[in-house]
């Protein structure tokens, strides 16, 4: 039988009404057999996620404060879900045991993981599914990295023993049996691991938006949704700030050729965004897949006559930056000039030392560090081999009166990066979007 692995995010499991939607989604398709649950998220804008409450509560416990009343606020969130669903489940023994572990200093990761653990228990009971504790099937190594081989083998064997199951997201265990979590938003990663271990045909990631949009809706008014995006394109877009999915969730499924489908629990009729390993098919109306960007970059510009003929220069510059804890983001270069684009915050307090060290090492004719750069990535598999795309980007910017301070296009051709002054960022994004997506 076909298998789908489905993950529901915190907002999809925040209260009884959301649980009911989840029930409907799962029961409408019998192949949705393995379900990964997040902790209850926000029910409204000013609400607090249960994970954040657990961190705060544990901090109180470590500080020796009386955290009983605060913990009652957390258990009340779960009890309200149980009551609202009308299921027979009493978690009071679990609450007591968690409080005891807090007092014994079970760790912040353990504390945070209880949100997923308890919510998975409720969801399993409500759906009539088995529950598989992630602590026994997701394993980390001593250095904190995921032990993929052990995890996939153990989890695959466990899943074979369950026709249908709920698995809590976000955590696993260390070789010494303590609990460790992924970074924030890590239930996405668990979902991918489950999809891979179940050899699923698809990994559905249910959240509160209908997939990725072609541009940031806070900047571009009602941008179109992205129907299909490749993993490569997604990496480019998310690196530049297009959120929604935890970036590590791509790896387990990509190599296994399992597509990810981002779906909206509140609008299950929407097809969402499909993330696939590769496809030549692209949206011919728009050519590009999406636009994303970030502010707070700086450029270190280094000019030197006959630079192109000098060996080892780049190496020395990169070494100096590395030594000072500065990562190189982009390296657009000319014949006698080189620009190194870096994150401004990494330069803090180091402008002089970096300028001096580079001057000393490569004796440039001119060196300057300029802040206030924003980068915009125009991404699309449809750009490969088609001409005129770059000129459309620049024409759109020129028409909007925006000066392009830097250009970078990787040899893979799915990406053009332009640097503009920070104050032009929003206008530049809108101009590029309008060029490719006509009303
Ligand atoms: N509950 C965790 C968090 O808030 C993990 C997740 O929801 O994916 O980060």
């Amino acid at each position: 039988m076909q298998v789908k692995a489905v993950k529901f995010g915190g907002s999809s499991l925040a209260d009884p009404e959301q649980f009911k939607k989840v029930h409907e989604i799962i029961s409408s398709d019998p192949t949705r057999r393995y379900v990964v649950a997040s902790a209850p998220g926000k029910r409204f804008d000013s609400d607090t996620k249960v994970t954040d409450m657990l961190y705060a509560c544990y901090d109180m416990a470590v500080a020796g404060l009386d955290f009983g009343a605060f913990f009652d606020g957390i258990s009340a969130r779960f009890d309200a879900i149980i009551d609202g669903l009308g299921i027979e489940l009493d978690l009071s023994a679990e609450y007591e045991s968690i409080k005891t572990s807090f007092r014994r200093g079970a760790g912040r990761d353990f504390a945070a993981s209880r949100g997923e653990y308890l919510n998975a228990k409720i969801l399993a009971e409500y759906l009539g599914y088995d529950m598989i504790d992630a602590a026994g099937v997701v394993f980390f190594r001593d250095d904190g990295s995921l032990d993929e081989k052990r995890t996939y083998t153990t989890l695959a064997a466990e899943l074979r023993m369950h026709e249908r199951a709920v698995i809590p997201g976000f955590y696993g265990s260390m070789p010494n049996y303590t609990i460790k979590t992924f970074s924030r938003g890590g239930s996405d990663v668990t979902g991918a691991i489950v999809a891979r271990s179940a050899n699923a045909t698809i990994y559905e990631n249910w959240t509160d938006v209908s997939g990725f949009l072609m541009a940031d809706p806070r900047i571009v008014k009602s941008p179109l949704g992205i129907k299909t995006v490749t993993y490569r394109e997604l990496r480019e877009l998310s690196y530049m700030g297009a959120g929604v999915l935890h970036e590590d969730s791509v790896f387990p499924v990509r190599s296994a050729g399992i597509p990810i489908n981002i779906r909206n629990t509140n609008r299950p009729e929407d097809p969402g965004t499909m993330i696939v390993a590769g496809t030549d098919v692209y949206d011919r109306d728009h050519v590009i897949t999406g636009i994303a960007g970030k502010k707070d970059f700086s450029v270190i510009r280094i000019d030197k006559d006959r630079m192109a003929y000098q060996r080892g220069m780049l190496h020395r510059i990169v070494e100096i930056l590395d030594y000072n804890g500065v990562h190189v983001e982009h390296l657009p270069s000319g014949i006698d000039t080189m620009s190194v684009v870096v994150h401004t915050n990494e330069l803090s307090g180091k402008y002089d030392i970096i300028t001096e060290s580079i001057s000393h090492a490569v004796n440039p004719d001119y060196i300057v560090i300029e802040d206030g750069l924003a980068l915009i990535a125009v991404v699309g598999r449809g750009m490969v081999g088609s001409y005129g795309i770059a000129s459309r980007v620049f024409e759109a910017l020129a028409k909007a009166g925006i000066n392009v301070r830097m250009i970078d296009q990787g040899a893979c051709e799915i990406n053009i990066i332009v640097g503009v002054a920070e104050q032009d960022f929003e206008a530049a994004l809108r101009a590029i979007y309008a060029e490719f997506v006509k009303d």
Side-chain angles (χ1 to χ4, degrees), residues 30-186:
T31 66
R32 291 183 174 132
R33 288 170 47 198
Y34 299 120
V35 183
V36 172
S38 280
K42 292 184 178 194
R43 294 158 295 180
F44 39 86
D45 271 356
S46 58
D47 200 12
T48 310
K49 289 179 170 191
V50 163
T51 309
D52 292 312
M53 295 171 85
L54 285 161
Y55 280 125
C57 190
Y58 187 70
D59 290 344
M60 285 173 80
V62 170
L65 301 171
D66 179 5
F67 61 88
F70 195 92
F71 191 89
D72 290 345
I74 299 174
S75 52
R77 290 281 307 261
F78 292 105
D79 289 340
I81 297 173
I82 294 172
D83 290 348
L85 297 176
I87 49 176
E88 289 292 322
L89 184 66
D90 180 3
L91 293 179
S92 44
E94 296 280 0
Y95 301 149
E96 285 315 309
S97 124
I98 293 170
K99 281 195 275 188
T100 307
S101 306
F102 276 28
R103 280 188 208 101
R104 291 191 181 143
R108 270 191 120 225
D109 280 18
F110 169 82
S113 75
R114 295 305 87 185
E116 270 66 17
Y117 172 79
L118 294 171
N119 226 20
K121 281 217 135 181
I122 300 176
L123 186 60
E125 179 68 29
Y126 181 48
L127 294 172
Y129 277 31
D130 298 340
M131 148 119 177
I132 301 173
D133 187 354
V137 287
V138 175
F139 302 110
F140 293 94
R141 297 189 191 91
D142 275 322
D143 66 3
S145 61
L146 177 73
D147 188 340
E148 284 112 339
K149 209 166 155 225
R150 187 169 167 221
T151 300
Y152 297 150
T153 325
T154 313
L155 184 51
E158 184 68 34
L159 292 174
R160 275 196 293 275
M161 295 195 290
H162 302 267
E163 183 65 25
R164 297 167 187 286
V166 176
I167 304 103
F170 193 35
Y171 71 94
S173 56
M174 292 291 283
N176 68 359
Y177 304 109
T178 55
I179 295 288
K180 176 174 166 48
T181 64
F182 293 104
S183 57
R184 294 301 302 266

